[in-house]
Structures are given as structure tokens and as C-alpha cells.
Amino acid sequence: MPQPISVPTDSEVRLADFDPADTSGIDNKKAARKELKDNVEILADLGYRLYAENQRALLLVLQGMDSSGKDGTIRHVMRGFNPQSCRVTSFKQPSVEELDHDFLWRIGRAAPRKGNVGIFNRSHYEDVLVVRVHNLVPEDQWQSRFARINTFEKLLTAGGTKIVKVFLHISRDEQQRRLQARLDNPKKRWKFSRADLAERRFWDDYQRAYEDVLTRCNGEYAPWHIVPADHKWYRNLIVSRILREALEQLSPQYPPAEEGLESIVVE
Ligand code: AMP
Ligand code: MG
């Protein structure tokens, strides 16, 4: 039976129940790549219509452990979007100025404008993940953030932004292979950070923190998708399907033309 990608709103998520290497019985990589290619084209068209309509926005929130493939997913799945109406924001350690504000300040500023696709490479969820695992703020503060994140996402949704949240689920073994590959491959070495090795030691703490995120911030208005990400081709295929479905549901329309345009002839 194929593994579910979404979980019901009120269910408690245990990541051990989700196989990061699942490919749901699809073994034809060639067909998967073809479908991805088709989806990229369809996404381009839907993104263009969203831009033309200029009423609503799409926000993709990408989360996952180090080396889970956030960058690769953006490169392979989002390549069709028009750079004019698509913006990727990669959230790093907050700056001094950002730390002087509430954690949602920098997030709200990066939210996509009408007609645009916004992609968050990491997001406000870091403020209940890395912040929690490393005790960067007292527990009562990070605990209060779950409810505030839900309120924030509800507000964005009410304002016309469709939020799609994707958790790229990889295994500990796969992370080991990918980090090692970064060391072994001169073209990937720039991506290696010693900090990733330190973070890897907190694997179980992160998994628990993610389980809380997936359980407590999974409202109907902005549900999580748990995407098996050990196989890159499958990850790309599933994310392209999720985005396609979200944009098809929005069904953006070209704005109605001004009356009388059909009789104008440009000389
Ligand atoms: P990378 O995604 O590899 O460029 O790394 C970005 C780093 O910034 C990761 O180690 C994140 O955990 C860290 N980061 C992102 N957001 C926050 C945050 N709100 N507080 C602390 N660290 C963060
Ligand atoms: Mg990194």
C-alpha cells in the first residue's frame, strides 16, 4: 500500500512510521523523470496564470534535516517558475537586527506578494526546531510559538496566500552518505560545514522536534506533507505533484479583458 504523504489534522505524527526510502511501488525512474518534466511545464503555466491574475499567492515552506535536499528540490522542481514572480528566501541564523524583533518579523516580510510564488528554504519552523534543540530561548517562549505560528499561517491564508508545507524526510544513514559525498566530491565540498557534523549528533532531538511541528502545526488551512526523500527522483516527483495539485486547486484565471478591446486595431 502506498505510504500516505499527508496526515489527518488531529493525528500524532511518529516519524518512525514513515519510511524515508519509500517509493510507493514506482520503480520506473524514467517514467518518473518524464512526469517531473511535464509537471515543471504545467507549473510554469499555472505560475504564469497566477501572476496574470494578480490576486493570490502561493507559499512553499520547505523543511528538512541538513542534506535532506531542500536546495536540490528547488533547483529541479521550481525551475519553470518565472524569476519575475518567484522568490526564494533562505533563512539562516537570524541577524542582530532580526533578533531584535519578534521571530515572525523576518518571515512576514518575505511572504510572497499577490501573483507570486514564494519559496521558503527553512522558515519560521526553525524557531521551534534548532531553537528548541539548542535551548536558544527559554522553553515557555518556544512553546508559545506553535500557537502563534498557527495564527500567523491562518492570517496569511485568509489574506489569499495558499500555504504548502513540505517536510523532506531522510534517514540517518542517507544523511551520512550525503555528508560524506560532500567531503569526497570537490564540487560539493563547498557545501560541507563542520557544524553539520555537530548537528548530526542531535538527530534524535531533531526528529522529536519535527514530530511536534508535524503534529501541532498541521491545520486544514496549511497541512504538512511528509515526503520520503532518500531517493531524489522520487522526492522531486512527489513535490512536483503536490505543487501542481495546489496550483490546480487555486485555478488562477487570466483577468477579464477590458470591454471593446477586440475592436481595436493597432496601426
Ligand atoms: P543552511 O540551510 O545549510 O544554509 O544553514 C542555515 C543554518 O541557519 C542552519 O543551521 C539553520 O539551523 C540556521 N537557522 C535558520 N533559522 C534559524 C533560526 N531562526 N535560529 C537559529 N538558527 C537558524
Ligand atoms: Mg548547510
Side-chain angles (χ1 to χ4, degrees):
M1 204 178 79
Q3 181 170 296
I5 299 290
S6 344
V7 287
T9 293
D10 48 5
S11 59
E12 187 135 333
V13 173
R14 285 190 332 166
L15 283 172
D17 296 340
F18 295 82
D19 177 10
D22 183 56
T23 55
S24 278
I26 302 178
D27 53 11
N28 189 340
K29 279 196 215 174
K30 209 172 150 218
R33 292 214 169 91
K34 165 83 173 74
E35 185 185 333
L36 171 66
K37 195 162 170 273
D38 292 345
N39 282 346
V40 166
E41 268 179 43
I42 292 166
L43 287 176
D45 178 60
L46 288 162
Y48 187 64
R49 285 202 270 152
L50 187 76
Y51 184 48
E53 181 193 78
N54 200 27
Q55 295 297 321
R56 295 167 296 171
L58 180 78
L59 172 61
L60 173 68
V61 174
L62 263 181
Q63 284 288 160
M65 301 289 285
D66 289 323
S67 82
S68 60
K70 299 181 288 294
D71 298 3
T73 303
I74 293 169
R75 194 164 65 246
H76 290 288
V77 184
M78 273 45 102
R79 63 194 333 158
F81 289 130
N82 182 351
Q84 184 150 311
S85 57
C86 175
R87 182 158 64 125
V88 181
T89 308
S90 298
F91 290 98
K92 311 283 182 186
Q93 282 191 18
S95 66
V96 173
E97 188 186 21
E98 286 167 347
L99 284 174
D100 260 353
H101 291 82
D102 179 66
F103 78 103
L104 287 169
W105 179 72
R106 64 174 184 167
I107 307 298
R109 281 157 54 103
R113 62 181 63 200
K114 287 178 184 172
N116 278 31
V117 175
I119 297 163
F120 284 181
N121 182 347
R122 301 187 188 270
S123 65
H124 39 301
Y125 285 101
E126 292 294 324
D127 293 280
V128 285
L129 290 163
V130 62
V131 167
R132 168 182 182 168
V133 168
H134 291 291
N135 301 307
L136 300 182
V137 304
E139 173 162 1
D140 61 329
Q141 274 191 41
W142 62 254
Q143 281 287 2
S144 76
R145 291 178 175 174
F146 291 97
R148 291 174 54 215
I149 286 173
N150 288 339
T151 305
F152 171 73
E153 292 184 353
K154 265 185 218 163
L155 285 172
L156 269 191
T157 306
T161 298
K162 168 92 182 160
I163 304 175
V164 175
K165 299 189 300 204
V166 167
F167 169 63
L168 300 178
H169 183 34
I170 58 162
S171 62
R172 203 165 182 276
D173 288 348
E174 182 60 19
Q175 187 191 57
Q176 189 248 330
R177 281 190 286 275
R178 290 184 186 182
L179 291 180
Q180 190 64 51
R182 285 182 184 180
L183 286 164
D184 297 345
N185 181 343
K187 288 186 183 164
K188 290 187 177 170
R189 218 165 273 159
W190 66 273
K191 269 200 154 202
F192 180 79
S193 150
R194 283 173 204 269
D196 293 347
L197 294 186
E199 288 308 277
R200 184 169 156 74
R201 294 197 197 102
F202 293 92
W203 181 272
D204 291 338
D205 293 341
Y206 272 107
Q207 296 289 296
R208 231 170 297 131
Y210 266 112
E211 285 174 343
D212 250 10
V213 160
L214 297 165
T215 300
R216 294 169 69 179
C217 299
N218 192 35
E220 300 284 356
Y221 50 91
W224 276 103
H225 303 271
I226 302 170
V227 175
D230 272 7
H231 299 287
K232 296 174 182 175
W233 63 270
Y234 185 71
R235 166 202 83 198
N236 291 340
L237 174 67
I238 298 302
V239 176
S240 75
R241 282 184 184 169
I242 292 168
L243 279 178
R244 177 181 168 171
E245 199 179 306
L247 274 167
E248 280 177 348
Q249 253 176 28
L250 279 182
S251 182
Q253 303 294 320
Y254 290 106
E258 236 177 84
E259 254 179 66
L261 284 191
E262 59 285 357
S263 60
I264 296 179
V265 178
V266 181
E267 285 168 8

